[in-house]
């Protein structure tokens, strides 16, 4: 991965994190909206904790997704290698069969003449 790719990935990560934080703040506000009995300090504390929990859950979800993607990548890589190996063996068998048939056809005395 090039330096530019890493830089772009970092920027994308920061933007994703910022968007998730904003979603968490919005969700926290909606959650606290009907809780009119909270004082301003209590409301801010609940919103802060809600936002932290939202971000923690999002990170856990991202990690599970990344882990599963790694597992799938390895499964597909293994299946691809097996398929490539079978294809190579089939190609070698076909070439050997073709070479054997050609050798029989070109052998002296195969055809009367």
């Amino acid at each position: 991965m090039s330096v530019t790719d890493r830089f772009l990935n970092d920027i994308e990560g920061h933007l994703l994190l910022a968007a998730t934080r904003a979603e968490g703040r919005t969700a926290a506000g909606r959650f606290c909206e009907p809780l009119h009995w909270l004082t301003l300090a209590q409301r801010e504390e609940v919103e802060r904790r809600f936002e932290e929990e939202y971000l923690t859950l999002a990170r856990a979800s991202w990690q599970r997704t990344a882990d599963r993607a790694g597992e799938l990548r390895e499964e597909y890589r293994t299946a691809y290698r097996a398929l490539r190996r079978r294809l190579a063996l089939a190609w070698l068998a076909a070439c050997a069969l073709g070479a054997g048939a050609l050798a029989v056809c070109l052998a002296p005395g195969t055809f009367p003449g």
Side-chain angles (χ1 to χ4, degrees):
M1 180 180 282
S2 72
V3 174
T4 303
D5 290 339
R6 277 185 290 212
F7 178 70
L8 291 175
N9 283 342
D10 285 347
I11 289 174
E12 184 179 17
H14 289 294
L15 291 174
L16 180 61
L17 185 59
T20 303
R21 281 190 186 277
E23 288 173 5
R25 279 191 295 276
T26 301
R30 281 194 314 264
F31 178 79
C32 288
E33 188 68 31
L35 306 176
H36 298 292
W37 48 269
L38 291 174
T39 65
L40 181 60
Q42 289 172 331
R43 180 185 177 102
E44 288 173 351
E45 179 65 15
V46 168
E47 287 180 355
R48 184 188 64 74
R49 287 183 180 203
F50 189 101
E51 181 185 342
E52 285 177 15
E53 186 63 23
Y54 188 91
L55 190 57
T56 299
L57 291 172
R59 283 182 175 156
S61 176
W62 297 336
Q63 187 61 51
R64 282 191 305 274
T65 301
D67 292 345
R68 183 62 182 139
E71 291 169 4
L72 287 174
R73 183 179 305 113
E74 191 56 38
E75 288 175 24
Y76 286 128
R77 183 177 293 140
T78 301
Y80 177 73
R81 285 180 184 153
L83 180 62
R84 196 172 57 193
R85 188 173 28 254
R86 284 195 312 246
L87 182 61
L89 289 174
W91 176 251
L92 287 174
C95 287
L97 193 63
L102 184 62
V104 167
C105 289
L106 295 179
T110 303
F111 295 106

